[in-house]
């Protein structure tokens, strides 16, 4: 298949977003500016680095790549609208596999009324997908990570460590309970867009999506906001059959594993009931996992409290307090 018939095959037949003037088919796409803020992000996925053909089929590669981008929009409080796809295609990938990649993206895009508005297609040695997403956000409602303050409740959506558990199930075949659940969490993560949208009435919520493990994301919030974040070990939510995996892996996956694409947030105590209501309305599990303090001395730090002890968390592991 040549580049033109390929583009024809992935070209949507109509536009869903009213601000789109021109999508695929000219030298560039055209979006009419609106009263809302435009939020944009890009992510790159390289075969062998970010995914392997052995554990992901083509459909899931596309699905997961767009889901990761949408998770970034969710963490900004934005509503997804458009995406562009740059793809480097090696000879070893068939036409039908390539269509499947785009089909995986389309499934999520259709659900969120997103238009595919352009991209670039080239050949090369390693399958590489770069997705750029655009979303809209009401003015003054963008959720930055520098806004956490002392006294905030720290919360997390869903359960943590499942994506890593799914990858483990796929790469180390064996007898596992709830196997298909873990695999789905790895291959088809769901960005928390509807939940975040329901938070709009709350004046200040700090959000970060969990693409790199809760430890890393909490440190990002703590550093950007100049506060300390305290997590309570026994409150970190995990799924029902998570305990079947070796203790060491559970620990690693839940704090440092990442790619669960859940949301870590902080909100004023008074507003916490509204967060729980938003979670109820959108069928989202939300758990209070800690709190925020602010002293000049330990700004930017994250601590885990367990069995009456307090340990400092680093991006890649624990640092025990002296
Ligand atoms: P040009 O040569 O003008 O840059 P291209 O031949 O690269 O145009 O692309 C033609 C049209 O197809 C453009 O609208 C471009 O955005 C779109 N397009 C190309 N590759 C992709 C892709 N992988 N995904 C989505 N749209 C694509
Ligand atoms: Mg081009």
């Amino acid at each position: 298949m040549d580049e033109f018939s390929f583009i024809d095959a992935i070209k949507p037949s109509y536009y869903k977003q009213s601000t789109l003037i021109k999508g695929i088919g000219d030298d560039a796409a055209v979006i009419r500016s609106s009263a809302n803020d435009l939020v944009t992000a890009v992510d790159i996925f390289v075969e062998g680095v970010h995914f392997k053909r052995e554990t992901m089929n083509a459909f899931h590669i596309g699905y997961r790549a767009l889901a990761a981008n949408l998770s970034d929009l969710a963490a900004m409080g934005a509503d997804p609208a458009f995406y562009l796809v740059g793809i480097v295609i090696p000879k070893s990938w068939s036409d039908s596999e390539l269509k499947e990649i785009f089909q995986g993206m389309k499934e999520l895009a259709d659900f969120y009324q997103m238009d595919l508005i352009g991209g670039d297609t080239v050949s090369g040695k390693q399958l590489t997908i770069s997705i750029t997403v655009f979303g809209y956000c009401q003015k003054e409602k963008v959720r930055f990570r520098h806004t956490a303050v002392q006294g905030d409740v720290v919360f997390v959506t869903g359960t943590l460590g499942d994506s890593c558990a799914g990858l483990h199930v796929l790469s180390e075949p064996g007898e596992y309970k709830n196997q298909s659940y873990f695999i789905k969490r790895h291959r088809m993560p769901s960005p928390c867009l509807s939940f975040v949208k329901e938070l709009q009435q709350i004046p200040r919520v700090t959000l970060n999506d969990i693409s790199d493990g809760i430890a890393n994301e909490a440190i990002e919030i703590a550093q950007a906001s100049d506060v300390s974040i305290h997590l309570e070990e026994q409150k970190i939510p995990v799924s029902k059959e998570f305990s079947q995996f070796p203790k060491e892996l559970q620990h690693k996956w839940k704090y440092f594993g990442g790619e669960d694409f859940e949301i870590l947030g902080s909100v004023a105590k008074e507003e916490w009931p509204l967060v729980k209501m938003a979670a109820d309305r959108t069928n989202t599990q939300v758990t209070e996992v800690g709190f925020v303090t602010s002293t000049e001395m330990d700004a930017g730090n994250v601590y885990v409290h367990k069995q009456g002890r307090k340990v400092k968390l680093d991006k890649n592991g624990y640092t025990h307090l002296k």
Side-chain angles (χ1 to χ4, degrees):
M1 190 165 51
D2 64 34
E3 193 192 321
F4 296 107
S5 33
F6 175 68
I7 293 167
D8 240 23
I10 60 169
K11 182 176 169 175
S13 52
Y14 66 98
Y15 302 159
K16 292 170 222 145
Q17 297 287 328
S18 59
T19 48
L20 186 61
I21 306 294
K22 187 76 192 176
I24 291 177
D26 214 305
D27 297 309
V30 183
I31 302 163
R32 185 144 292 169
S33 64
S34 74
N36 293 323
D37 287 338
L38 192 60
V39 180
T40 183
V42 63
D43 263 319
I44 301 181
F45 305 88
V46 181
E47 181 182 354
V49 180
H50 302 99
F51 60 87
K52 290 198 170 65
R53 257 166 132 168
E54 295 78 51
T55 54
M56 298 284 272
N57 55 41
F59 181 90
H60 294 127
I61 291 168
Y63 190 101
R64 191 165 185 275
L66 186 59
N69 271 281
L70 293 187
S71 179
D72 281 323
L73 288 185
M76 296 305 285
D79 239 355
F82 307 110
Y83 65 116
L84 295 116
V85 182
I87 186 162
V88 180
I89 306 173
K91 288 202 179 67
S92 58
W93 286 74
S94 71
D95 290 353
S96 63
E97 283 175 308
L98 295 173
K99 281 191 199 156
E100 277 293 300
I101 293 178
F102 278 80
Q103 198 52 42
M105 292 187 249
K106 187 171 184 296
E107 178 148 320
L108 255 185
D110 284 351
F111 185 78
Y112 292 112
Q113 298 290 304
M114 295 181 87
D115 291 313
L116 173 63
I117 61 168
D120 206 11
T121 308
V122 297
S123 51
K125 288 217 173 79
Q126 229 168 348
L127 188 84
T128 302
I129 305 170
S130 162
I131 304 183
T132 305
V133 287
F134 290 91
Y136 288 115
C137 198
Q138 273 176 38
K139 281 186 181 152
E140 315 305 329
K141 283 293 163 74
V142 178
R143 307 307 190 177
F144 295 109
R145 40 173 99 143
H146 66 253
T147 55
V149 298
Q150 158 131 322
D152 275 4
V153 166
V154 175
F155 63 88
V156 71
T157 62
T159 49
L160 302 186
D162 293 346
S163 174
C164 281
L167 181 60
H168 181 84
V169 166
L170 285 162
S171 23
E172 320 241 322
E175 288 280 311
Y176 299 100
K177 286 173 260 175
N178 259 4
Q179 190 156 322
S180 57
Y181 166 82
F182 289 108
I183 292 176
K184 187 163 184 215
R185 290 275 286 158
H186 179 68
R187 288 180 165 169
M188 299 176 78
S190 23
C192 301
L193 286 154
S194 54
F195 164 67
V196 164
K197 201 171 173 178
E198 284 292 317
L199 301 177
Q200 253 167 20
Q201 51 171 320
I202 304 176
R204 179 187 60 85
V205 191
T206 307
L207 301 177
N208 201 356
D209 71 316
I210 303 181
S211 55
D212 236 354
I214 189 175
N216 197 41
E217 317 303 345
I219 289 170
E220 283 176 359
I221 292 180
Q223 289 179 345
S225 302
D226 234 0
V227 296
S228 330
I229 291 186
H230 300 259
L231 302 172
E232 293 171 68
E233 163 87 9
Q234 84 285 3
K235 291 188 180 169
I236 307 283
V238 291
S239 60
K240 220 173 70 209
E241 303 292 357
F242 193 66
S243 60
Q244 71 186 302
F245 300 104
K247 274 247 145 53
E248 234 180 85
L249 292 180
Q250 285 181 46
H251 178 83
K252 191 171 136 203
W253 294 342
K254 126 182 139 169
Y255 284 106
F256 313 106
E259 310 230 298
D260 288 311
F261 301 114
E262 296 296 345
I263 292 281
L264 173 69
S266 99
V267 72
K269 246 202 185 82
E270 311 84 82
E271 242 81 77
W272 172 234
L274 291 177
V275 174
K276 283 198 283 191
M277 277 162 59
D280 276 349
R281 281 198 296 273
T282 55
N283 238 335
T284 306
Q285 177 182 336
V286 70
T287 312
E288 176 179 357
V289 291
F291 55 92
V292 175
T293 62
S294 159
T295 57
E296 236 169 74
M297 201 183 71
D298 60 359
N301 290 345
V302 173
Y303 299 98
V304 173
H305 297 245
K306 58 175 182 184
Q307 293 151 355
R309 285 188 318 136
K310 181 174 123 179
V311 282
K312 187 172 165 236
L313 210 47
D314 271 348
K315 282 186 185 177
N316 306 305
Y318 278 123
T319 318
H320 289 273
L321 287 180
K322 288 180 209 94

